[in-house]
Every structure is written in structure tokens, then in C-alpha cells.
Amino acid sequence: MKKTLIATLATAATLIGGAAQAESASYTIEPNHTYVTFEIGHFGTTTNRGRFDKKEGTVQLDRAAKKGKVEVTFDVGSINTGSAQFDKHLRSEEILKTEAFPKATFIGDKFTFNGDKVSEVSGQLTLLGKTNPITLKASNFNCYQHPMMKREVCGGDFRATIKRSQWGVDYGMAYGFSDAMDLVIQVEAVHQ
């Protein structure tokens, strides 16, 4: 009887441990539904916006344990504002120095949940060779079964207001451009 009880408890512990591990899932960022964009005020009148067209990354998500890790890398030279002249200036040595620093990366390893939804992700943004902490707050987050891919997809819209000068991007501040810039990462990732 005692051996049977021990065997049953050991089996239950294995099943519970296996179930907890089964909750952790790996995802690959789907580039057609993932965007890294920025918004910055222009002399208090309008907002300059742009995006980085080339991006890739991965997500590890454990909803049961309420933890995860995300890594998004984007090609800084793929910046696209809709204006070739403006894009050229942004890539220049005066601003983003894309020849010397072609890639930027956000690695988030602290997930905060509101119920079963991710509400924010904190981590490190590396840009122009400098790394600083940021926290991206979610305005949307959801996981769903994709009807065409027949796989789970998780994603959301995440935003942080950063001081661009922390990364050495201070062009225009002497003219009155704001140091504050909104960084928006809209991400969808496919279960692997």
C-alpha cells in the first residue's frame, strides 16, 4: 500500500511538472504582422513617424508561470518614413549612423501580466552601441488559433516613451526638437 501511494505521488508529480513545462512555448516573430515604429514631435505642430522594415526575433512565453523572454532585432538601415530624402538623413552620421551601427535590439526578460494577458515587458534596448533599460506597455495582447496556419499566434501592441539622447540620438534638440520619442513595437509571433 505504501509503495503504491509513493508511486502514485511520484507519477502525479511528474505529470504536474510535465504540465507546467508544457505551458512554456516558443514563437517566431512573423515579420508581415510585426512593426517597429517611432513617433517624435516636430516643433510642436506635427508628428514625424517612421518604421524599420526589416525585423526578426523570437518569443518564449510561459503563461502559467507568468514569465517570458522576447528578442526583436531590427535593421536600422531599413528605416522608412515615406520620404527618401528624410530616410537618407536619418541614416547619416548626424543621426542613426547606420554604417557603424546597422542593427538595434530589444531584449525583454521581465513580463508583467494582468490576469492571463501580458500588460508590459521590461528589458534592454541596444541602439548605436548603447544599451539602456526600457519598459514597453501593452495596449493590446492576445493569443489565438490562426485559421490558415493552424498554429497559435500571440501578439500585441507595445509602447514606450524614451529619451533618445540616452542612445546618443540628439540631433535637432538645439533647434527645439523633443528628446522624448515614442517607440512602438507591434508584434505577432507564431508558435513553433
Side-chain angles (χ1 to χ4, degrees):
M1 177 81 170
K2 190 174 181 180
K3 286 183 180 179
T4 304
L5 180 60
I6 291 171
T8 302
L9 290 174
T11 302
T14 301
L15 289 173
I16 291 168
Q21 289 177 351
E23 294 295 327
S24 183
S26 297
Y27 300 80
T28 299
I29 288 176
E30 204 284 294
N32 294 318
H33 292 94
T34 297
Y35 298 93
V36 178
T37 62
F38 68 88
E39 300 173 355
I40 186 168
H42 187 251
F43 290 111
T45 56
T46 58
T47 302
N48 286 333
R49 292 180 173 88
R51 69 176 190 233
F52 300 94
D53 287 339
K54 295 179 183 175
K55 60 275 173 191
E56 61 186 9
T58 58
V59 178
Q60 296 290 322
L61 184 61
D62 186 335
R63 285 176 279 183
K66 299 198 182 305
K67 63 182 183 178
K69 183 175 183 180
V70 60
E71 182 170 337
V72 180
T73 299
F74 51 99
D75 180 342
V76 182
S78 73
I79 196 163
N80 182 351
T81 63
S83 166
Q85 184 178 356
F86 189 31
D87 294 346
K88 183 178 178 181
H89 187 215
L90 288 170
R91 289 185 195 107
S92 75
E93 287 299 306
E94 251 185 334
I95 304 176
L96 292 175
K97 305 171 180 62
T98 59
E99 283 191 29
F101 303 100
K103 303 278 184 192
T105 303
F106 171 70
I107 298 175
D109 57 4
K110 183 180 178 200
F111 282 46
T112 302
F113 283 74
N114 182 3
D116 64 346
K117 307 268 186 186
V118 176
S119 59
E120 63 182 43
V121 178
S122 297
Q124 305 287 322
L125 175 65
T126 301
L127 176 69
L128 276 81
K130 295 178 175 65
T131 301
N132 290 294
I134 67 169
T135 297
L136 294 160
K137 296 187 182 293
S139 57
N140 292 307
F141 181 84
N142 192 39
C143 294
Y144 67 97
Q145 188 66 26
H146 196 286
M148 293 167 276
M149 289 190 279
K150 308 294 184 206
R151 291 188 186 179
E152 182 184 47
V153 174
C154 292
D157 297 327
F158 296 85
R159 177 183 294 264
T161 300
I162 63 174
K163 288 188 173 188
R164 60 192 177 95
S165 61
Q166 288 184 281
W167 288 269
V169 183
D170 57 5
Y171 177 82
M173 288 175 61
Y175 305 132
F177 293 146
S178 175
D179 191 13
M181 181 181 86
D182 287 339
L183 176 67
V184 181
I185 300 180
Q186 171 191 327
V187 63
E188 287 195 24
V190 180
H191 186 266
Q192 298 303 297

